[in-house]
Amino acid sequence: MNDSSGPGISGFSLYFPAYRVSLEDWCGWTGEPWPKVRAVTGRSFRLPGPNENVYTMAATAVMRLIEDYDVDPESIGMLALGTESSTDNAAGAVILRGMIDRRLEELGRPRLSRHCEVPEMKHACLGGIYALKAATRYVSTDGAGRRAIVVSGDVAEYERGSSGEPTQGAGAVAMLVEPEARLLRVDLSRAGSASAYRGPDFRKPMGRHRIAGYAADTQRHHDFPVFNGKYSTYAYLDETVAAVDELCARHDLEAQALFDRAAAMFFHRPYRMMPLSALAFLVVRAMARRPEAQAELAALCEQEGVAPQSLLAEAGIAPDLFSRLEGGDDEHPYPATARLASAYRKTPAFAALAEAKLALGADHAMDFGNLYTAALPAWLAAGLEAAAIEGRELTGELLLAIGYGSGDAAEALPLYPVAGWAEQARKLRSAVALEGAIDLDQSGYERLHDEGAIDEPRPISGFFAIDSVGARREASFHDLGVEYYAYLAR
């Protein structure tokens, strides 16, 4: 047990836009098999409305955090935004600050501290975790005595007809970070990090918008990625392994011992199956090093026709995936491990393991969709809330949060619920954040996706929205393309 306090997270707040696409309906429109899509991806995803973007969603999550946890705005010394969906290449979190300050004034409350830092952090889906680490360091050092707010927000969008289409989503998660956490202590001293350059794994080069034929059916500003699904999966597994290996070394534990100790595990979750695949891959690697697992491993190897020594050999390599790709080799760098992991994932033993380690909050996450930087914190928040509602005692237990960002990099964070965590977790209301959904039919989805418009807009309130866009380009004043925002009160 490790229930001592220290820097970390004291609260979460979630925001999802109202417009929802049921994946069962989507399968009916596209002819994709619903049972497979549900098992691999989830149940639904959200799309931002025509007057929303990452800044409005993030600001809404922050405002809800301030209200739900009664945060003194003047105590906030850092407001950090983690996103890969920025639409302004100069300003970042200060845009959120502007919205929040005006809303606070409307409520008769003071603005955020004038001395508040406002960084934005970008590294694909890992930007929010990097921001959380920066905020945790801040409240432990030069920001001692102050608090920080970290918000992860994104719009995950893909071309219609692409393999990524069902893995879309939108939303934001705000986290309150304090020098003495009231929910989760973040143990940075024993966290694991990893990074490597992976070329065209998953990118958003600005030049793609100027290439004829790119996303030709879409008549709005969009941020569709350039991605290579199979290669990206290899990168996810490889970088996650490297980060977890460092985490294990810092705990002086073999991987399986660390997994056994963890009360729950949370992974970056672009779709439902990815964490399951990652856990199976990690556990099969760990089996090779455990004498007590050799019988189980030998049976699995015999079943799949894999030599046990090949698994050990793969556990000792550090492949350069980008160099391999440049040389024309795009095959799995760990073929034996991948084959065994796929087989292990179908066993009753793995089903029991997944239920024990990955179940917390997983049902709510089926309706989150892909949130990029917000995917891991959203699942973590839902898991903590579920544990509090179920009356599960987690004080001092180890939770593992394993984040990933394509391109690519990974972080493995040890987290510890502190005394009184359940009271803070009950304020989360992740189910409430999903309420009020407006289900789109096929034509409504296609129009919102392709044109950024809605046939019959319905009144929605309680969030920040784009109020107008600047159009002046004069000698004395320019605001061409600058967005202005307003809060749509209930």
Side-chain angles (χ1 to χ4, degrees):
M1 298 286 285
N2 193 334
D3 58 357
S4 61
S5 191
I9 302 168
S10 290
F12 290 86
S13 182
L14 290 74
Y15 173 75
F16 299 96
Y19 295 105
R20 178 173 64 187
V21 174
S22 158
L23 282 171
E24 184 174 10
D25 291 345
W26 178 85
C27 287
W29 308 332
T30 62
E32 295 293 328
W34 164 234
K36 180 180 179 181
V37 169
R38 185 186 186 281
V40 173
T41 306
R43 285 191 297 255
S44 66
F45 62 81
R46 301 297 179 100
L47 294 175
N51 58 350
E52 293 184 278
N53 64 11
V54 69
Y55 304 122
T56 64
M57 294 190 302
T60 301
V62 171
M63 197 65 229
R64 289 182 177 181
L65 184 80
I66 290 172
E67 293 176 329
D68 291 348
Y69 290 87
D70 193 25
V71 177
D72 175 7
E74 293 182 306
S75 71
I76 302 301
M78 174 184 282
L79 172 63
L81 170 65
T83 187
E84 62 173 273
S85 305
S86 300
T87 57
D88 192 300
N89 281 334
V94 73
I95 295 174
L96 315 185
R97 182 198 170 113
M99 284 184 257
I100 294 160
D101 280 345
R102 289 199 171 187
R103 179 57 183 162
L104 287 168
E105 287 184 336
E106 290 171 357
L107 296 173
R109 301 187 64 180
R111 292 182 170 212
L112 297 173
S113 167
R114 185 61 186 273
H115 307 293
C116 180
E117 299 178 21
V118 285
E120 178 182 326
M121 298 195 181
K122 179 178 74 175
H123 182 85
C125 301
L126 199 60
I129 298 301
Y130 281 154
L132 173 60
K133 291 184 73 174
T136 303
R137 291 167 179 146
Y138 167 79
V139 300
S140 303
T141 55
D142 58 303
R146 295 187 179 185
R147 298 190 279 183
I149 292 176
V150 172
V151 58
S152 298
D154 267 307
V155 179
E157 53 185 4
Y158 294 82
E159 288 186 79
R160 285 198 299 114
S162 72
S163 62
E165 185 183 1
T167 66
Q168 298 184 105
V173 179
M175 295 168 270
L176 178 63
V177 179
E178 298 184 316
E180 294 296 324
R182 290 177 285 155
L183 182 53
L184 286 173
R185 181 170 66 84
V186 180
D187 185 2
L188 293 185
S189 67
R190 295 198 290 178
S193 299
S195 64
Y197 178 63
R198 295 293 163 76
D201 162 20
F202 178 104
R203 301 289 293 276
K204 294 182 177 179
M206 297 302 295
R208 72 197 189 282
H209 294 286
R210 296 189 291 272
I211 296 174
Y214 175 73
D217 295 331
T218 305
Q219 297 84 45
R220 63 170 177 84
H221 172 80
H222 56 80
D223 203 26
F224 304 148
V226 175
F227 68 101
N228 295 276
K230 187 171 70 168
Y231 180 57
S232 294
T233 299
Y234 303 161
Y236 179 109
L237 293 173
D238 181 63
E239 211 64 75
T240 297
V241 161
V244 170
D245 281 350
E246 188 186 22
L247 178 81
C248 293
R250 287 188 163 196
H251 283 79
D252 195 24
L253 288 172
E254 293 289 343
Q256 189 59 55
L258 191 68
F259 303 157
D260 290 343
R261 179 181 294 185
M265 300 172 69
F266 302 88
F267 288 78
H268 171 55
R269 187 183 173 118
Y271 50 90
R272 176 183 177 271
M273 186 56 69
M274 195 71 248
L276 295 169
S277 298
L279 180 59
F281 192 88
L282 288 166
V283 170
V284 165
R285 277 177 57 97
M287 283 182 180
R289 300 187 177 103
R290 296 181 71 212
E292 61 269 36
Q294 294 311 298
E296 182 182 9
L297 182 61
L300 201 59
C301 286
E302 183 177 1
Q303 172 190 313
E304 295 302 308
V306 172
Q309 58 267 31
S310 64
L311 184 65
L312 274 170
E314 288 179 2
I317 64 173
D320 184 337
L321 298 192
F322 182 46
S323 293
R324 285 163 50 98
L325 186 70
E326 288 182 305
D329 183 359
D330 65 348
E331 295 304 311
H332 205 299
Y334 305 99
T337 311
R339 186 166 180 174
L340 292 178
S342 179
Y344 179 63
R345 210 170 57 235
K346 300 177 179 67
T347 66
F350 180 75
L353 178 66
E355 177 64 26
K357 304 299 182 182
L358 301 180
L360 278 179
D363 186 64
H364 277 161
M366 292 281 281
D367 291 307
F368 289 170
N370 188 0
L371 302 177
Y372 285 165
T373 59
L376 173 55
W379 184 13
L380 179 59
L384 290 166
E385 182 183 21
I389 291 171
E390 294 168 10
R392 183 168 171 178
E393 181 47 68
L394 292 177
T395 304
E397 296 288 348
L398 170 64
L399 308 182
L400 294 180
I402 301 171
Y404 174 76
S406 297
D408 75 309
E411 292 287 331
L413 300 182
L415 310 172
Y416 296 92
V418 300
W421 70 270
E423 180 181 354
Q424 295 295 96
R426 291 191 187 98
K427 300 176 184 178
L428 280 166
R429 302 187 299 163
S430 60
V432 174
L434 290 167
E435 291 178 355
I438 297 172
D439 288 305
L440 297 171
D441 60 17
Q442 183 176 1
S443 63
Y445 160 61
E446 291 177 356
R447 185 160 189 228
L448 183 56
H449 181 282
D450 296 351
E451 302 174 28
I454 288 292
D455 291 326
E456 297 180 11
R458 277 163 278 188
I460 315 171
S461 59
F463 69 101
F464 289 100
I466 301 167
D467 187 52
S468 63
V469 180
R472 293 176 63 183
R473 192 179 183 189
E474 304 160 2
S476 60
F477 183 80
H478 285 198
D479 69 350
L480 189 64
V482 173
E483 293 170 342
Y484 298 95
Y485 309 94
Y487 186 82
L488 305 182
R490 290 184 174 86

